Amino acid sequence: MLPSSPTQVDPAPARRKVRSARPARGERPAPAPDSAGRRLPRWMDRLSVAQKLGLAGVLFALPTLLIVRESALNQNALVRPVTRSLQIMPVVRATSDMQEKLDTFTMQATRHARGEVPAEAVKRAQQAVDASLKVLTDELNSKAQPNLLADTNEMRQAILTEAPLDELQNVWTYYRDSALEMNPSAIASAYFDAAAPLKTLVGQAERVSSLSVGGGQNSLYYMKESSLGSGLTELRYAVVRADALASSAYGKTPEALADREALAQLIPLAQVLLDSTKRNLEQAVLTGQSIPQELSANAGALDDKLQSLQIEWRAATQGVQPTGLGKLTADAVRTTGSLTRDSLDALEKEAALFQNQQLTRGATGLAVVVVLGGLAAVLLAGLLRYIVQQIQQLTRGARRLTEGDFGVQIPVTSRDELGLLGSAFNDAAAQLRRNAERVEYERVEAQELQNNIAEYLDVTMDIADGDLTKRGKVTEDVLGNVVDSINVMVDELSDLLRNVQDASQSVTGGSRAMLLSTAQIEQGTLTTAEQAARVSRQAQDVNARIQSMAQTAQESAAMARQTLLASQQGQQAVTGTLEGMDQIRGSSQSVTEAIQALSERSGQIQEIVDSISHIASQTNLLSLHASIEAAGAGEAGSRFAVVAEEVRALADESSAAAGRIQDLIAGVQREIAAASATMATGAQTVERGYEVARQAGEQLRQIGQLSAQSAQLAEAISQAAAQQAQQMQQMGHGVTQIAEIATDSQASVAEGRSAAEQLQALAQQLAAQLGRFKLPA
């Protein structure tokens, strides 16, 4: 979508509207609305800006006094929680001390149950707990002097209401009297019950004294979290209870299994408590003023000891009886108690420091407010005069700007809001000048963009017509990126079409080579078929001749029998015998000639078989070339590869059939050679008989014997001729099969040629379609 051409804005109507909106000379302007859209009271319209600012200064002085008073009250409210925290610290210390003594008593009772310490040690720890409980009771029941910021007696009474000492006394009495007879599992349960009232007491002390929120200070809150509640106190409790559970966790009793499960839950809890304590101490060191950094280092040392304890605890959860658990636990509890005391000392010191600072800061703040109030009164008069002057300059400049004078500038002599307003006024005037110039520039730029778009549309029409040598002109406007992207796309399309054309030419060349190979294979199969047909006809001729020779041999046998009969009749048949001998000699010569002709025909058949073998070899070679070309053509030559494979199979069958024919012809040739030798011998015998019959009739007896031999030889020739006729018939069938195979090969080659022609047609069609595109060189 083309951008609309910007039009030059005529400022005259706007100036006329502004001028018409100005009040007439002598007419009072309408009251200006305030920031909420409401008009100011009419009596304020009668005041000048200086009077309005003076009135605002007076009105500001009254709430300032109220703010000072509220600030003092807030300062008191801020210091009061810290003061309450300081007042309740003796109770917190007494509770922490009793918790520490109770932990020691529990560890001694657990070690006594394991047989590591005597009962006297448990009793001494018991006496220490009794003394701590008495101190805690006295502290909660004592009366303190009233304090203006914190009523300590009221806080103690609130603690006793929510955490009565009677419950603590009863639980401790039961635990103290039964500890020596308890096993570690029972000690852990009793310790849990005895520590619960102490936790309630500490929580109530935190609540009533604002320690639960750290007295409103981050450092006090972090110190409280690290030493009380979920900090070191809870961690010490978890360590002591884990010591008792680990002492009874080995074994397979249900009680031991329950202790293992409870111990497994305490291990991650102890680590979480220690990590939380370390983070709170680190934050307290960062946010506090008097908190020593040694607290973080001591927490790191406690972490190392807890890691050693966790190894023993995890072994106990697996049923392994711990060995050095008592010493490690005592060391960890001792370190935890020392760190708790140090944290409480730091907490108390930080609270006292904060209290002193706040009181000092309140007194100093009051003095500063008095001094600043006087200075504010002096400055207010000077500020009123300065502000009025700046407003008057802005008013004059705005009037000139509404009249169309965009070159107006007002002097800026300050960096306050009025100075910023003056700078904004100057910037607005300059912006109006630039807007007028930019409108003209945008009109010219839009016209250039319209011309570039029209020019590029012509290029896109040429590209759409197939001329991929065209490229759009890359300009500096927003159209340039689009044209550049389309040029890159056309380049990539040109490369793609060039690759497609190269592939089409390659396919066309491959199909032509395939057609050439197919033509050669087709010519070879045609020659094979013709040679096979010629061999078939020659075999039929040889078969006919052999059958004629067999008939002649049969006739010779009959004549030999007649000659034998004539020789037995005597001398009277000598003439007939001589004539018969002449016929026998002629027949022998005819048979000899036929056998010689048959031998010649066998040689011709051998030549034909050699030709068939050569054709089969050439066909096999052509089929191999066709397979190679088909493989080079890819999927398009897959069908032709199948045809080439069939042609090769037919060529192999032709070669095998030619081999069988050659073997048959060799056998025929051997039999013909034997018959030829036999006929030669018969001819010599007939010749000698003929000579004897012509010389004397007394040798008729010998002639009769020779005639009998001639009859036997004729019979043998007849049988041999019949065998040769049968073998030649078989050879004819073989040649017929060769002809059929050659015909099938020719059909397969025709199919391959058709497939190659289709492939070439597709390649030519693709080349014709790509020819419409004009690609760059």
Side-chain angles (χ1 to χ4, degrees), residues 707-741:
S707 296
Q709 294 177 356
S710 296
Q712 294 175 356
L713 291 174
E715 187 67 26
I717 292 172
S718 177
Q719 294 177 356
Q723 293 178 355
Q724 291 179 357
Q726 184 178 3
Q727 293 175 353
M728 287 302 299
Q729 187 175 3
Q730 294 177 354
M731 184 180 70
H733 289 311
V735 172
T736 302
Q737 292 178 356
I738 293 174
E740 293 175 354
I741 292 171

Side-chain angles (χ1 to χ4, degrees), residues 22-343:
R22 293 171 55 190
R25 185 178 301 276
E27 180 181 353
R28 297 182 64 84
D34 60 4
S35 60
R38 298 184 299 273
R39 295 186 178 277
L40 296 175
R42 301 188 63 86
W43 63 269
M44 293 190 67
D45 295 338
R46 300 186 181 92
L47 300 178
S48 64
V49 174
Q51 292 172 342
K52 292 177 182 178
L53 291 177
L55 178 61
V58 172
L59 294 176
F60 178 77
L62 295 176
T64 301
L65 297 177
L66 296 177
I67 291 174
V68 170
R69 178 178 176 277
E70 291 297 327
S71 176
L73 295 178
N74 291 334
Q75 188 73 18
N76 183 28
L78 184 63
V79 175
R80 187 168 182 270
V82 178
T83 304
R84 292 173 64 89
S85 300
L86 288 172
Q87 295 297 327
I88 206 65
M89 283 303 296
V91 177
V92 174
R93 286 182 178 276
T95 305
S96 178
D97 182 69
M98 183 178 176
Q99 176 71 49
E100 185 175 356
K101 297 300 190 293
L102 182 63
D103 295 341
T104 304
F105 174 77
T106 302
M107 288 189 295
Q108 294 296 338
T110 302
R111 296 176 67 184
H112 173 71
R114 292 199 300 257
E116 296 179 1
V117 297
E120 288 75 10
V122 180
K123 292 180 179 180
R124 287 194 298 271
Q126 168 193 331
Q127 295 171 358
V129 176
D130 291 335
S132 297
L133 180 58
K134 185 177 183 306
V135 172
L136 176 60
T137 303
D138 295 341
E139 182 64 37
L140 288 172
N141 293 323
S142 64
K143 299 296 182 179
Q145 293 295 328
N147 191 294
L148 181 62
L149 297 177
D151 190 352
T152 308
N153 298 324
E154 180 183 355
M155 289 189 291
R156 291 173 180 173
Q157 187 61 37
I159 294 173
L160 290 174
T161 301
E162 297 294 333
L165 290 175
D166 296 340
E167 181 182 357
L168 177 60
Q169 183 67 44
N170 294 334
V171 173
W172 162 240
T173 301
Y174 169 75
Y175 183 27
R176 176 190 61 189
D177 297 339
S178 306
L180 293 177
E181 288 77 22
M182 290 181 178
N183 57 24
S185 179
I187 291 173
S189 178
Y191 174 71
F192 176 82
D193 296 336
L198 289 174
K199 292 182 181 180
T200 304
L201 195 149
V202 172
Q204 187 65 11
E206 291 179 4
R207 186 184 66 82
V208 301
S209 65
S210 300
L211 266 177
S212 57
V213 293
Q217 302 303 311
N218 290 335
S219 59
L220 300 182
Y221 172 77
Y222 290 130
M223 288 304 300
K224 186 272 300 182
E225 285 294 311
S226 63
S227 58
L228 303 175
S230 60
L232 292 171
T233 301
E234 187 69 24
L235 175 62
R236 188 170 56 192
Y237 161 77
V239 171
V240 174
R241 188 161 183 263
D243 177 64
L245 292 174
S247 300
S248 62
Y250 57 91
K252 298 183 179 179
T253 62
E255 185 180 14
L257 296 177
D259 291 341
R260 289 184 195 174
E261 184 177 356
L263 179 60
Q265 295 175 358
L266 276 177
I267 293 175
L269 175 62
Q271 186 61 45
V272 169
L273 291 172
L274 180 59
D275 293 340
S276 176
T277 300
K278 290 170 62 178
R279 287 193 300 269
N280 290 325
L281 286 176
E282 291 174 357
Q283 292 297 326
V285 170
L286 292 176
T287 59
Q289 303 180 45
S290 62
I291 300 175
Q293 296 184 355
E294 289 77 7
L295 293 177
S296 297
N298 295 336
L302 179 60
D303 190 5
D304 297 336
K305 295 178 181 180
L306 186 62
Q307 295 298 327
S308 302
L309 265 178
Q310 288 181 357
I311 296 175
E312 295 291 335
W313 292 344
R314 291 192 182 94
T317 58
Q318 303 298 323
V320 179
Q321 183 176 2
T323 56
L325 186 61
K327 182 178 179 181
L328 291 174
T329 303
D331 191 16
V333 170
R334 186 167 50 253
T335 303
T336 306
S338 176
L339 187 58
T340 303
R341 289 189 296 272
D342 294 340
S343 299

Side-chain angles (χ1 to χ4, degrees), residues 505-525:
Q505 294 176 0
S506 176
V507 171
T508 303
S511 62
R512 289 176 181 173
M514 188 185 300
L515 287 174
L516 180 59
S517 301
T518 305
Q520 293 177 355
I521 294 173
E522 185 177 11
Q523 184 64 31
T525 54

